[in-house]
Amino acid sequence: MVKQATTFLNNGIEMPLLGLGVYDMYHQEAENAVGNALEIGYRLIDTAAMYENEVEIGNAIRNSAVPRKDIFLTTKVANDGHGYDNALRAFEVSSQKLNADYIDLYLVHWPLKNLRKDTWKAFERLYEEKRVRAIGVANYLLPFLHELAEYATVIPTVNQVEFTPYLFSEELLQACQKRNIILQAYSPLVRGKRFDDKKLIEIAKKYEKTPAQIILRWAIQLGVSTIPKSVKIERLKENFDVFDFQLSEQDMAKLCTFNENFRICENPLDML
Ligand SMILES: NC(=O)c1ccc[n+]([C@@H]2O[C@H](COP(=O)([O-])OP(=O)(O)OC[C@H]3O[C@@H](n4cnc5c(N)ncnc54)[C@H](OP(=O)(O)O)[C@@H]3O)[C@@H](O)[C@H]2O)c1
């Protein structure tokens, strides 16, 4: 098995940098994708209450030959699970659906107006009670991170945000690094919408890799965790096959100039 890149969270827990995102896959298709991914070598699975597939993800993990301790499982509280008591309840529901003794990483899915502070306090309790190995946030752009710093007693381990060469923020990356928070890139492949970019294709040709592999490798070399989604076995393999080459400093820098502020998902700042 190839050696994959991992990182250490600010509480000392090891997390693979590359994982499988499981948004928009359901039923048997979701179980198969996770089963295939684990067989290929993926060890991080990123789901959410909102994805309505926690039961299938849990089944796939239990049915796989990979020991649970070797898998890093993330789920997230949905927007209707915000607030202190509500978040504690939502966590129980997710745990039951996943049928997991523990969850590795629990994320606040969106920085919901008014309630995000209470939600974070519930997360801190779950962490202190050792129900989760790590807690973190998603979609926390700078204003949300600054606000969180005012009341958090536990610093988030991870901030999962939309992050690609086409939506690149050096400022956000540095702010996370300064706070010892791992930035995790969601929709890292821009859902395929930039694979026809000539600048990207040129770099891909040079390394004899695909545009998807170049984008994923770029994230990994930045120390950014990345969670591409696919239900297709060939693409699962392709997206995992990024540990046998290295982008040069010049090509890394070039990819960092591709920014177009191009977003797939809603801008979290609209939640302010
Ligand atoms: N925290 C948040 O708010 C948030 C928001 C969005 C996403 N996420 C997480 O991030 C994960 C990934 O993001 P995403 O699903 O939005 O988008 P993505 O990973 O950028 O792209 C997935 C799309 O690209 C296709 N694809 C995958 N690999 C490919 C390849 N090598 N070549 C060509 N096409 C390929 C997939 O189709 P097939 O499946 O048909 O292969 C799918 O349509 C999600 O699954 C979820 O876990 C989190």
Side-chain angles (χ1 to χ4, degrees):
M1 166 127 355
V2 279
K3 174 106 183 72
Q4 57 177 297
T6 63
T7 189
F8 286 91
L9 305 182
N10 62 29
N11 64 355
I13 286 178
E14 193 172 12
M15 181 181 81
L17 278 176
L18 177 66
L20 176 71
V22 301
Y23 169 65
D24 199 24
M25 56 171 91
Y26 305 94
H27 313 297
Q28 198 57 47
E29 186 178 59
E31 271 195 57
N32 292 347
V34 173
N36 289 332
L38 291 171
E39 227 166 84
I40 290 165
Y42 289 77
R43 292 294 178 265
L44 186 168
I45 309 293
D46 178 84
T47 186
M50 233 182 253
Y51 302 166
E52 296 181 349
N53 58 15
E54 288 174 305
V55 170
E56 290 78 7
I57 304 311
N59 288 342
I61 288 176
R62 272 189 316 285
N63 292 337
S64 118
V66 179
R68 170 67 184 92
K69 67 170 178 48
D70 293 341
I71 300 170
F72 192 98
L73 175 61
T74 302
T75 194
K76 315 183 191 82
V77 69
N79 289 351
D80 63 4
H82 271 262
Y84 190 85
D85 292 334
N86 232 1
L88 295 178
R89 268 195 300 273
F91 178 79
E92 295 308 328
V93 173
S94 280
S95 298
Q96 277 165 19
K97 286 189 173 168
L98 286 160
N99 197 355
D101 291 336
Y102 65 94
I103 284 161
D104 292 277
L105 177 62
Y106 198 37
L107 297 179
V108 179
H109 205 146
W110 281 93
L112 208 70
K113 217 171 193 166
N114 303 326
L115 287 173
R116 54 187 178 253
K117 177 176 175 185
D118 292 345
T119 306
W120 188 251
K121 289 292 146 191
F123 270 50
E124 289 180 336
R125 177 168 159 187
L126 290 167
Y127 180 64
E128 275 148 22
E129 289 178 351
K130 299 198 168 30
R131 300 295 310 282
V132 272
R133 295 176 76 221
I135 52 175
V137 292
N139 295 298
Y140 273 53
L141 300 186
L142 286 174
F144 301 108
L145 281 184
H146 292 316
E147 181 201 74
L148 183 75
E150 287 167 19
Y151 57 74
T153 48
V154 180
I155 311 261
T157 54
V158 167
N159 185 14
Q160 184 182 110
V161 293
E162 188 173 344
F163 189 86
T164 71
Y166 304 93
L167 182 64
F168 174 65
S169 165
E170 177 98 50
E171 198 188 6
L172 180 62
L173 179 59
Q174 283 180 359
C176 288
Q177 286 168 341
K178 202 175 104 201
R179 289 172 167 80
N180 233 330
I181 298 171
I182 298 295
L183 194 152
Q184 187 166 60
Y186 78 62
S187 305
L189 301 177
V190 207
R191 294 196 184 150
K193 291 184 194 302
R194 281 293 181 272
F195 287 166
D196 60 353
D197 175 13
K198 289 195 175 68
K199 306 188 294 301
L200 178 62
I201 292 172
E202 194 184 303
I203 296 178
K205 277 193 181 140
K206 179 169 158 187
Y207 292 89
E208 297 182 355
K209 289 282 178 182
T210 64
Q213 289 169 328
I214 296 296
I215 297 186
L216 296 172
R217 183 71 211 177
W218 168 79
I220 290 166
Q221 282 184 221
L222 284 176
V224 164
S225 173
T226 182
I227 47 169
K229 172 258 176 186
S230 182
V231 291
K232 301 195 171 66
I233 193 155
E234 285 315 316
R235 287 178 176 174
L236 287 169
K237 285 182 187 162
E238 175 187 333
N239 296 346
F240 194 73
D241 183 19
V242 292
F243 298 108
D244 63 348
F245 76 110
Q246 183 93 12
L247 291 166
S248 70
E249 253 178 60
Q250 292 90 322
D251 289 326
M252 285 295 292
K254 200 184 274 177
L255 283 153
C256 292
T257 65
F258 286 10
N259 183 42
E260 301 170 356
N261 293 321
F262 182 81
R263 235 175 237 294
I264 293 288
C265 293
E266 200 183 332
N267 188 338
L269 293 179
D270 295 342
M271 294 264 174
L272 268 176

